[in-house]
Every structure is written in C-alpha cells, then in structure tokens.
Amino acid sequence: MITTKYVNYKQVLNLSGVHLILISIWCTLIAVLFYFFNWHWMTIPWVPVALIGTAEAFLVGFKNNQAYDRLWEARKIWGGIVNSSRSFASMVQAFDTKNEEIGAFDLEDRKKRIIYRHIAWLYTFREQLLVPTEWEHISTENKFGNINLRRNRLIKAGFPDYGRAPIFLHKYLSEEEYDRKSEYKNFATYLISQQAKDINELKNMNAITDFNQTQLQNCLNEFYGFQGQAERIKKFPSPRQFASTAFVFNILFITLLPLGLVNEFAKLGDWGIWTSIPFCIIIGWIYIIMELVGDYSENPFAGLMFDVPMLSICRTIEIDLLQMTGETELPDPIASKNGVLV
C-alpha cells in the first residue's frame, strides 16, 4: 500500500517508466517521418481518433471502478479479521470455570495455545494469499514480469519480516502441528478446525458453557467466511474479457494518436509538428496510467506495493492478542518504508 499523500516521481516512473519511453519513441518517429520524409499519407483525421479515445476512457473508467471494488473489498475483509480476532481473543481470555478438576495453570495454558494458534493462522493465511496466480503481474513471462519480480524482491528486502511466516508458525504452533504443515494444501483451514476441536474439548470438560462454545464457534465461522471471501478475490480474476479489451483498445488508441495529432498541429506550421510530440506523449501517458492503475489494483494480494498491507495488519493483531495474554515482550509494529506499507 502506498502511504505517501501524493505519488512521487519515483513511484510513477517505477510504474510507467518503460511505457513512457515507448510512447516517446513512437510519437517522435511519426513526427520525424512526417517532417523529413513528407509521409503525409499516413495521417488520419482527428475525429475518429477522438471517438476511440472517448470510448476507451469509458471502458478504462469501468475497469478501474471494478478494480477499486476488488481492492476495497479485500481491505474490508482484513478489517473484519482485525475486529473478529480481538473479539475472539477477549472471549477466550474471559474463560472461567468452577470445575476444580481443571487447574488454573492448565486452563491458562489452553487459552494461550488457542490464541497463539490464531496468530499462526493469520500468518499462514497471508502466506497462502501471496502465492502468485497465473494472471497476476508477478507471474507474467515477459520483461514486465521481470520488472514486477524485481519490485517484489525490493519490497522483501525492505521488510525483514516479509517472508518469515515459517518462523512465526514455529513460534506459535506446537512441534506436532508445525510438522503437519506439509500434509495440508490449505493449512489455514486446518488450523481453524483445530481451534474448533480445542474449544469443543473445553466445553466437554465443563471449562466453558454451551453458550460460550457457541459464541466462539461463531467467531471461527466468521474466520472461515473471511478466508473464503479473500480466496474468492485471489482465485477468481477480474473478468479477462473486460481487462484485456481495455488493454487492447488502449494500445490501438495510443498507436493512432500521433497519426491524428501531428496532422492537426501541422496546420500551425513546421514548428507545430514538433510541438505535437510532447502533447502526444502527455495524452498517451495519461491513458497508460489509467490503464495501469486499474490493472494493478484488481489483484490486491499480489505481493506488490499496491496491495492490502496484510503484514502490517497481521502484526497489529499479533500485538493486540499478545497483550491480552499478558505478554510484555512485544514485536514492533510494521512501519512504512519509502512510502510503501506491506
């Protein structure tokens, strides 16, 4: 997530620098051919170019709206996880029993184990969401895919805890549960099921009432719901017929743009031909930026700087839950670096 009030020039160039170079070369080439070689035959009237640009603006606007909906829904899901996690931990900590057969130490140990397992679920779930899908930018097998891989590596280098999920799992899970990680394709689901078993066991031991068990199970059901909602966004792409069409139309418009613009500016004289270059670059670059903003926002769990800051959210929940258990040695919150929070 970008945290600066305004996107700085480095972030802009990081996103669209290559595209800006390509547009500049194309616009300059058309002006050179028009001026030095008198290739007037290649120009086209401005009206059809303007119509294509208007249609493309509507299509890109629709795409960006859908991308924003996916991004904002992902953030609301993690906001729900924050609230439900605090409620779940507070209820677990409120366990009390009059059953003398259950020692206070044993009950406190069980409470801590449940809360620790929930923290492990958070980091497991985040790690699963970061596994790239074939339609995400980081998986693209071309130069732009390599650029996104470098972006991902830079983010990981800036945040030491970015890839330490196995360390967190080893810290908050028992050896037996940690060793089972390789046996499950969806380990996060397994951890929630283990929570339900432990809670049911406490109810059978009369450590909690049936009502307590129902309330806690409702919380676990909410976590299943949040997990399913996030997996739906992760595993179902923004419909490619819309995303791909917007991209193709954008390429078509930018290709035709200098062919129509240079002819209009040529009416001003020879200097107008060269003046068309910066205007052509600016217009084309604006359309490219609109396309890229929607294109990157539609995948909020891709491991890039445009994502929902899951690591920061996990750390916030971790700190809150550890404080509820009485821990005093707490990890530091995740701070943004270079205008990015992950």
Side-chain angles (χ1 to χ4, degrees), residues 75-89 118 121-122 223 226 309-310 312-318 320-321 324:
R75 182 59 186 90
K76 289 193 293 185
I77 290 169
W78 274 94
I81 291 175
V82 172
N83 297 334
S84 295
S85 296
R86 291 167 177 164
S87 299
F88 178 73
H118 182 71
W121 173 78
L122 292 170
F223 295 136
F226 291 134
M310 294 187 291
S312 174
I313 295 173
C314 288
R315 180 57 55 80
T316 299
I317 300 173
E318 179 185 7
D320 290 345
L321 268 55
M324 289 182 185

Side-chain angles (χ1 to χ4, degrees), residues 23-40 42-43 258-259 261-263 265-266 270-278 280:
I23 293 173
S24 301
I25 293 174
W26 174 241
C27 295
T28 303
L29 176 63
I30 295 301
V32 168
L33 293 175
F34 187 91
Y35 183 81
F36 289 106
F37 296 92
N38 293 321
W39 283 18
H40 297 181
M42 67 181 178
T43 60
L259 301 180
L261 206 61
V262 71
N263 191 41
F265 274 79
D270 290 344
W271 65 272
I273 298 173
W274 303 111
T275 307
S276 70
I277 296 177
C280 182

Side-chain angles (χ1 to χ4, degrees), residues 10-165:
K10 290 183 179 179
Q11 292 169 335
V12 172
L13 292 178
N14 185 25
L15 177 64
S16 62
V18 175
H19 304 83
L20 185 60
I21 293 173
L22 294 176
I23 293 173
S24 301
I25 293 174
W26 174 241
C27 295
T28 303
L29 176 63
I30 295 301
V32 168
L33 293 175
F34 187 91
Y35 183 81
F36 289 106
F37 296 92
N38 293 321
W39 283 18
H40 297 181
W41 56 268
M42 67 181 178
T43 60
I44 56 178
W46 175 246
V47 173
V49 179
L51 290 175
I52 294 174
T54 303
E56 172 61 9
F58 281 111
L59 188 58
V60 172
F62 170 78
K63 176 181 176 179
N64 284 5
N65 283 335
Q66 303 308 307
Y68 180 80
D69 285 343
R70 287 169 61 89
L71 176 63
W72 187 239
E73 183 182 0
R75 182 59 186 90
K76 289 193 293 185
I77 290 169
W78 274 94
I81 291 175
V82 172
N83 297 334
S84 295
S85 296
R86 291 167 177 164
S87 299
F88 178 73
S90 64
M91 283 191 286
V92 170
Q93 282 298 107
F95 282 167
D96 194 10
T97 180
K98 296 179 180 179
N99 189 343
E100 297 180 356
E101 296 179 1
I102 304 174
F105 177 80
D106 183 52
L107 185 59
E108 288 300 317
D109 184 64
R110 288 174 180 270
K111 291 180 184 179
K112 184 173 290 189
R113 184 173 64 187
I114 291 173
I115 292 177
Y116 276 13
R117 187 186 289 121
H118 182 71
I119 297 174
W121 173 78
L122 292 170
Y123 286 106
T124 299
F125 183 37
R126 171 186 171 272
E127 185 181 34
Q128 290 180 183
L129 289 177
L130 287 175
V131 176
T133 58
E134 61 180 314
W135 56 81
E136 290 178 341
H137 291 85
I138 201 169
S139 301
T140 309
E141 297 180 358
N142 54 30
K143 294 181 179 179
F144 301 108
N146 294 332
I147 290 174
N148 290 307
L149 286 173
R150 289 197 295 272
R151 290 172 180 167
N152 183 259
R153 286 195 293 268
L154 287 173
I155 290 175
K156 289 182 177 179
F159 295 88
D161 289 341
Y162 190 88
R164 298 180 61 194

Side-chain angles (χ1 to χ4, degrees), residues 248-276:
V248 172
F249 285 0
N250 216 356
I251 296 298
L252 177 63
F253 171 70
I254 293 173
T255 301
L256 297 178
L257 179 62
L259 301 180
L261 206 61
V262 71
N263 191 41
E264 291 296 316
F265 274 79
K267 297 176 182 178
L268 302 176
D270 290 344
W271 65 272
I273 298 173
W274 303 111
T275 307
S276 70

